């Protein structure tokens, strides 16, 4: 199931974070590099053996508990509150001043590789393991399914879990 987060792409050149873009309109995204660099869970350099160039895809999100705390403080100071965590995360990333973004407790989880030079994982789980080794924030909530029946069962469990309104703050 899709989580209500802001989708982003981060590019690395020789292991250094050089660019972060929003999904934008699907063709052209906004450059949010300086703002993404303020997110504590996003490393500025990869660890271990990594491709010379790699693009990772992920989601920036606002943990629910932190979102509620921010809205409470905004309300107490007479300011407008955010409608939902996704709008808060997206708005925080699009700030012109990275210090504003840095003041918000955003997090990121990566979920895939968009492009890479010299790295071709055979499976998605291989890509996950590589991203984890590189020090990128990956979700712990994934499982390798060995059959279509197992995929359906995992989907059923996930749907039930999400419909019980489990806090996204438990992610990744």
């Amino acid at each position: 199931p899709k989580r209500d987060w802001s989708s982003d792409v981060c590019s690395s050149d020789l292991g250094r974070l050089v660019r972060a873009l929003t999904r934008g309109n699907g063709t052209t995204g906004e450059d949010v590099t300086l703002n993404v660099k303020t997110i504590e869970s996003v490393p500025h350099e990869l660890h271990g053996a990594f491709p010379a160039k790699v693009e990772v895809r992920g989601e920036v999100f606002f943990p629910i508990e932190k979102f509620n705390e921010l809205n409470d403080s905004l309300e107490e100071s007479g300011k407008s509150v955010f409608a939902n965590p996704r709008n808060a995360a997206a708005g925080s990333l699009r700030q012109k001043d990275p210090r504003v973004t840095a003041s918000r407790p955003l997090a990121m989880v990566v979920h895939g590789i968009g492009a890479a030079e010299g790295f071709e994982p055979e499976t998605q789980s291989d890509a996950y393991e590589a991203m984890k080794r590189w020090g990128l924030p990956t979700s712990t909530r994934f499982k390798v399914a060995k059959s279509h029946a197992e995929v359906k069962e995992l989907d059923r469990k996930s749907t039930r879990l999400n419909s019980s309104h489990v806090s996204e703050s438990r992610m990744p």
Side-chain angles (χ1 to χ4, degrees), residues 12-24:
S12 163
D13 192 0
L14 298 175
R16 295 178 130 166
L17 175 61
V18 293
R19 186 173 25 265
L21 302 169
T22 65
R23 181 177 54 199

PDB file of all heavy atoms in Angstrom, residues 12-24:
ATOM      1  N   SER A  12      24.140  10.144  -6.314  1.00  0.00           N
ATOM      2  CA  SER A  12      25.458  10.104  -5.705  1.00  0.00           C
ATOM      3  C   SER A  12      26.502   9.993  -6.802  1.00  0.00           C
ATOM      4  O   SER A  12      26.331   9.246  -7.757  1.00  0.00           O
ATOM      5  CB  SER A  12      25.533   8.886  -4.775  1.00  0.00           C
ATOM      6  OG  SER A  12      26.854   8.576  -4.472  1.00  0.00           O
ATOM      7  N   ASP A  13      27.567  10.758  -6.654  1.00  0.00           N
ATOM      8  CA  ASP A  13      28.693  10.694  -7.575  1.00  0.00           C
ATOM      9  C   ASP A  13      29.919  10.403  -6.729  1.00  0.00           C
ATOM     10  O   ASP A  13      30.255  11.173  -5.818  1.00  0.00           O
ATOM     11  CB  ASP A  13      28.832  12.031  -8.308  1.00  0.00           C
ATOM     12  CG  ASP A  13      29.788  11.962  -9.481  1.00  0.00           C
ATOM     13  OD1 ASP A  13      30.354  10.887  -9.740  1.00  0.00           O
ATOM     14  OD2 ASP A  13      29.973  12.998 -10.133  1.00  0.00           O
ATOM     15  N   LEU A  14      30.563   9.266  -6.986  1.00  0.00           N
ATOM     16  CA  LEU A  14      31.702   8.807  -6.202  1.00  0.00           C
ATOM     17  C   LEU A  14      31.341   8.729  -4.711  1.00  0.00           C
ATOM     18  O   LEU A  14      32.144   9.065  -3.844  1.00  0.00           O
ATOM     19  CB  LEU A  14      32.920   9.700  -6.433  1.00  0.00           C
ATOM     20  CG  LEU A  14      33.445   9.717  -7.869  1.00  0.00           C
ATOM     21  CD1 LEU A  14      34.576  10.719  -8.017  1.00  0.00           C
ATOM     22  CD2 LEU A  14      33.880   8.329  -8.308  1.00  0.00           C
ATOM     23  N   GLY A  15      30.117   8.327  -4.442  1.00  0.00           N
ATOM     24  CA  GLY A  15      29.682   8.116  -3.072  1.00  0.00           C
ATOM     25  C   GLY A  15      29.211   9.346  -2.327  1.00  0.00           C
ATOM     26  O   GLY A  15      28.825   9.264  -1.168  1.00  0.00           O
ATOM     27  N   ARG A  16      29.219  10.498  -2.953  1.00  0.00           N
ATOM     28  CA  ARG A  16      28.785  11.734  -2.303  1.00  0.00           C
ATOM     29  C   ARG A  16      27.428  12.158  -2.826  1.00  0.00           C
ATOM     30  O   ARG A  16      27.181  12.130  -4.030  1.00  0.00           O
ATOM     31  CB  ARG A  16      29.780  12.854  -2.584  1.00  0.00           C
ATOM     32  CG  ARG A  16      31.123  12.610  -1.989  1.00  0.00           C
ATOM     33  CD  ARG A  16      32.007  13.726  -2.378  1.00  0.00           C
ATOM     34  NE  ARG A  16      32.661  14.225  -1.189  1.00  0.00           N
ATOM     35  CZ  ARG A  16      33.682  15.022  -1.227  1.00  0.00           C
ATOM     36  NH1 ARG A  16      34.124  15.460  -2.380  1.00  0.00           N
ATOM     37  NH2 ARG A  16      34.258  15.409  -0.124  1.00  0.00           N
ATOM     38  N   LEU A  17      26.583  12.589  -1.904  1.00  0.00           N
ATOM     39  CA  LEU A  17      25.269  13.097  -2.286  1.00  0.00           C
ATOM     40  C   LEU A  17      25.465  14.396  -3.063  1.00  0.00           C
ATOM     41  O   LEU A  17      26.009  15.366  -2.530  1.00  0.00           O
ATOM     42  CB  LEU A  17      24.407  13.354  -1.045  1.00  0.00           C
ATOM     43  CG  LEU A  17      23.047  14.005  -1.269  1.00  0.00           C
ATOM     44  CD1 LEU A  17      22.162  13.140  -2.164  1.00  0.00           C
ATOM     45  CD2 LEU A  17      22.365  14.260   0.062  1.00  0.00           C
ATOM     46  N   VAL A  18      25.066  14.386  -4.324  1.00  0.00           N
ATOM     47  CA  VAL A  18      25.270  15.571  -5.165  1.00  0.00           C
ATOM     48  C   VAL A  18      23.967  16.232  -5.594  1.00  0.00           C
ATOM     49  O   VAL A  18      23.963  17.402  -5.961  1.00  0.00           O
ATOM     50  CB  VAL A  18      26.110  15.257  -6.432  1.00  0.00           C
ATOM     51  CG1 VAL A  18      27.534  14.884  -6.049  1.00  0.00           C
ATOM     52  CG2 VAL A  18      25.475  14.181  -7.279  1.00  0.00           C
ATOM     53  N   ARG A  19      22.863  15.490  -5.543  1.00  0.00           N
ATOM     54  CA  ARG A  19      21.604  16.074  -6.003  1.00  0.00           C
ATOM     55  C   ARG A  19      20.421  15.316  -5.401  1.00  0.00           C
ATOM     56  O   ARG A  19      20.448  14.100  -5.293  1.00  0.00           O
ATOM     57  CB  ARG A  19      21.528  16.032  -7.527  1.00  0.00           C
ATOM     58  CG  ARG A  19      20.345  16.723  -8.122  1.00  0.00           C
ATOM     59  CD  ARG A  19      20.368  16.814  -9.650  1.00  0.00           C
ATOM     60  NE  ARG A  19      21.147  15.811 -10.350  1.00  0.00           N
ATOM     61  CZ  ARG A  19      22.413  15.960 -10.759  1.00  0.00           C
ATOM     62  NH1 ARG A  19      23.065  17.067 -10.524  1.00  0.00           N
ATOM     63  NH2 ARG A  19      23.036  15.000 -11.404  1.00  0.00           N
ATOM     64  N   ALA A  20      19.418  16.069  -5.027  1.00  0.00           N
ATOM     65  CA  ALA A  20      18.165  15.483  -4.566  1.00  0.00           C
ATOM     66  C   ALA A  20      17.028  16.239  -5.253  1.00  0.00           C
ATOM     67  O   ALA A  20      17.015  17.472  -5.268  1.00  0.00           O
ATOM     68  CB  ALA A  20      18.032  15.591  -3.050  1.00  0.00           C
ATOM     69  N   LEU A  21      16.133  15.494  -5.845  1.00  0.00           N
ATOM     70  CA  LEU A  21      15.027  16.090  -6.590  1.00  0.00           C
ATOM     71  C   LEU A  21      13.704  15.526  -6.109  1.00  0.00           C
ATOM     72  O   LEU A  21      13.615  14.350  -5.752  1.00  0.00           O
ATOM     73  CB  LEU A  21      15.162  15.780  -8.085  1.00  0.00           C
ATOM     74  CG  LEU A  21      16.435  16.221  -8.782  1.00  0.00           C
ATOM     75  CD1 LEU A  21      16.516  15.615 -10.174  1.00  0.00           C
ATOM     76  CD2 LEU A  21      16.489  17.733  -8.843  1.00  0.00           C
ATOM     77  N   THR A  22      12.666  16.356  -6.173  1.00  0.00           N
ATOM     78  CA  THR A  22      11.314  15.854  -5.927  1.00  0.00           C
ATOM     79  C   THR A  22      10.819  15.188  -7.199  1.00  0.00           C
ATOM     80  O   THR A  22      11.392  15.376  -8.277  1.00  0.00           O
ATOM     81  CB  THR A  22      10.335  16.981  -5.554  1.00  0.00           C
ATOM     82  OG1 THR A  22      10.195  17.852  -6.682  1.00  0.00           O
ATOM     83  CG2 THR A  22      10.797  17.760  -4.330  1.00  0.00           C
ATOM     84  N   ARG A  23       9.752  14.446  -7.093  1.00  0.00           N
ATOM     85  CA  ARG A  23       9.147  13.820  -8.270  1.00  0.00           C
ATOM     86  C   ARG A  23       8.555  14.888  -9.174  1.00  0.00           C
ATOM     87  O   ARG A  23       8.469  14.724 -10.386  1.00  0.00           O
ATOM     88  CB  ARG A  23       8.068  12.829  -7.821  1.00  0.00           C
ATOM     89  CG  ARG A  23       7.400  12.126  -8.963  1.00  0.00           C
ATOM     90  CD  ARG A  23       6.409  11.119  -8.483  1.00  0.00           C
ATOM     91  NE  ARG A  23       5.465  11.752  -7.581  1.00  0.00           N
ATOM     92  CZ  ARG A  23       4.708  11.107  -6.726  1.00  0.00           C
ATOM     93  NH1 ARG A  23       4.763   9.815  -6.653  1.00  0.00           N
ATOM     94  NH2 ARG A  23       3.878  11.749  -5.944  1.00  0.00           N
ATOM     95  N   GLY A  24       8.133  15.986  -8.605  1.00  0.00           N
ATOM     96  CA  GLY A  24       7.567  17.085  -9.394  1.00  0.00           C
ATOM     97  C   GLY A  24       6.325  16.648 -10.146  1.00  0.00           C
ATOM     98  O   GLY A  24       5.457  15.986  -9.608  1.00  0.00           O
TER      99      GLY A  24
END
